[in-house]
Amino acid sequence: MNKSPSPRHFLTISDLASDEILFLINRALKLKKRYKSDLPYRPCIGKVLGLLFEKPSTRTRVSFEAAMLQLGGNVTFLSSRDLQLSRGEPLKDTARVLSRYLNCLVVRTFGQEVVDELARWSDVPVINGLTDQYHPCQVLSDIMTVMEHKDEDIRALKIAWVGDGNNVAHSWIQGASRLGFVLALACPEGYEPNKEILNTAQAKSAAPITLMTDPKEAVKGADVINADVWASMGQEQEASKRREIFAPFQINEALLAKAKKDAIVLHCLPAHRGEEISEEVLEGPHSLVWDQAENKMHLHKAVLEWAMEL
Ligand code: CP
Ligand code: NVA
């Protein structure tokens, strides 16, 4: 099997230069067109993608699987509890063994250090399919959705994040820093993004990345509003406390009215209607959540091609 001496891992958005991000998004938009015109494209014949998941997933799992299958490759889903990892086999051994069978590995886990360690020992590209700290593929496909629906240069847009300063927020912060669009984050006190991630991104960004506690201020004049769950996977015990604290952060018609008239609403899903987003907004004309979910598949194709250097 041909293996790259230094595989192209994708663990955080900061791993990519701005031109690589734009390349991947433009490539995904091309691959989407090609898919819609029923033109087969199978550069992955004979290749195998592994998906090592320690948390549940609908979209990331199935969109990566569909992407790889449509590209002519094969997939194997590896639930961590079925692997010897669950009986204490070290990550470094798992990575070296899986590298002998697979051409690429997507990992969904808790600590970012798990994907870092797998990548350190893997001879094939490792792609972060969500950790507690980041969700880089998600945010690349979200930016793709913004670019697909807005005629302006993304640098002319104001993007708002309302809710928890979580993994998806961290990847948006890194995306804003790389591409130079305005990002306004409204998070409750005590639920802000990681300071180091925010400070590093702010120091390198050409446009302001601002943190506030007032959702109305974040959404004022925004072109894009982002929602995500109030309690992420692994925080289930905190869900009821968070429901109280986050109540003023719901994206509903009243909040949406503060944004631009043609603002789009994104939610990476799964959504909790009546919590972080109202039913009316989720199902309403500003919501692009289904296109956003679809775009994960097209973006993942571009990431797979890039990572495997096809
Ligand atoms: N948005 C997203 O990552 O969804 P899943 O948890 O279903 O993969
Ligand atoms: N922040 C959410 C994203 C789910 C796709 C979580 O980590 O559960």
Side-chain angles (χ1 to χ4, degrees):
M1 225 181 260
N2 279 337
K3 293 211 177 94
S4 161
S6 55
R8 281 188 180 171
H9 303 302
F10 179 39
L11 308 182
T12 77
I13 288 197
S14 297
D15 291 348
L16 302 178
S18 53
D19 57 347
E20 284 177 305
I21 295 176
L22 295 173
F23 167 80
L24 286 173
I25 291 171
N26 287 321
R27 181 70 188 147
L29 288 165
K30 279 198 190 113
L31 289 167
K32 181 172 183 175
K33 270 203 187 125
R34 190 170 184 148
Y35 174 73
K36 301 281 174 190
S37 26
D38 270 337
L39 282 173
Y41 175 57
R42 312 220 191 287
C44 291
I45 288 175
K47 302 214 182 282
V48 184
L49 172 67
L51 293 117
L52 170 47
F53 277 40
E54 295 201 79
K55 288 176 175 176
S57 172
T58 298
R59 282 146 287 270
T60 306
R61 173 182 175 172
V62 182
S63 60
F64 261 114
E65 289 182 342
M68 187 62 176
L69 294 170
Q70 288 170 19
L71 293 175
N74 285 289
V75 293
T76 180
F77 185 76
L78 309 162
S79 163
S80 57
R81 63 174 177 271
D82 298 330
L83 297 182
Q84 295 289 4
L85 260 180
S86 65
R87 299 177 61 249
E89 185 167 19
L91 288 166
K92 63 182 180 182
D93 296 1
T94 305
R96 283 176 288 183
V97 170
L98 292 181
S99 297
R100 301 288 174 111
Y101 308 137
L102 303 173
N103 301 93
C104 189
L105 181 66
V106 179
V107 181
R108 169 168 286 201
T109 186
F110 293 87
Q112 183 71 15
E113 66 283 357
V114 173
V115 288
D116 290 343
E117 175 78 352
L118 287 167
R120 184 168 163 227
W121 291 95
S122 175
D123 293 325
V124 301
V126 174
I127 296 171
N128 182 351
L130 181 146
T131 61
D132 291 344
Q133 204 159 11
Y134 297 113
H135 198 359
C137 293
Q138 178 68 51
V139 171
L140 285 192
S141 53
D142 297 349
I143 296 174
M144 169 187 174
T145 306
V146 172
M147 290 172 68
E148 189 180 34
H149 286 87
K150 291 278 173 198
D151 291 332
E152 304 97 309
D153 185 323
I154 191 151
R155 288 169 298 185
L157 302 180
K158 176 181 178 184
I159 301 193
W161 175 271
V162 179
D164 192 19
N166 63 14
N167 44 7
V168 183
H170 290 154
S171 289
W172 269 104
I173 289 168
Q174 294 192 334
S177 182
R178 279 284 187 266
L179 295 183
F181 53 80
V182 173
L183 180 66
L185 302 114
C187 308
E189 240 172 81
Y191 296 89
E192 298 90 354
N194 175 288
K195 271 202 180 71
E196 203 182 313
I197 294 171
L198 184 62
N199 292 343
T200 308
Q202 283 169 330
K204 291 185 184 156
S205 183
I209 301 173
T210 47
L211 177 63
M212 56 207 78
T213 50
D214 182 1
K216 293 192 224 62
E217 192 188 334
V219 160
K220 195 174 166 201
D223 299 279
V224 181
I225 306 175
N226 271 292
D228 189 11
V229 292
W230 290 339
S232 287
M233 289 180 277
Q235 297 172 333
E236 289 77 9
Q237 331 285 50
E238 298 175 32
S240 73
K241 182 180 165 207
R242 283 172 174 256
R243 269 196 291 275
E244 278 175 35
I245 294 170
F246 282 80
F249 290 76
Q250 185 186 75
I251 296 173
N252 50 33
E253 298 282 2
L255 191 62
L256 180 58
K258 310 275 175 212
K260 284 210 183 125
K261 280 200 166 51
D262 62 348
I264 61 176
V265 174
L266 300 180
H267 189 314
C268 63
L269 305 178
H272 294 80
R273 291 163 166 86
E275 292 187 21
E276 74 275 2
I277 192 161
S278 67
E279 169 83 13
E280 295 70 35
V281 172
L282 186 75
E283 299 287 0
H286 295 265
S287 168
L288 288 181
V289 300
W290 316 118
D291 284 355
Q292 180 186 4
E294 176 186 335
N295 282 343
K296 284 171 73 74
M297 180 177 79
H298 306 297
L299 191 281
H300 292 164
K301 284 184 186 169
V303 168
L304 289 170
E305 263 187 353
W306 171 86
M308 291 189 274
E309 302 180 52
L310 300 175

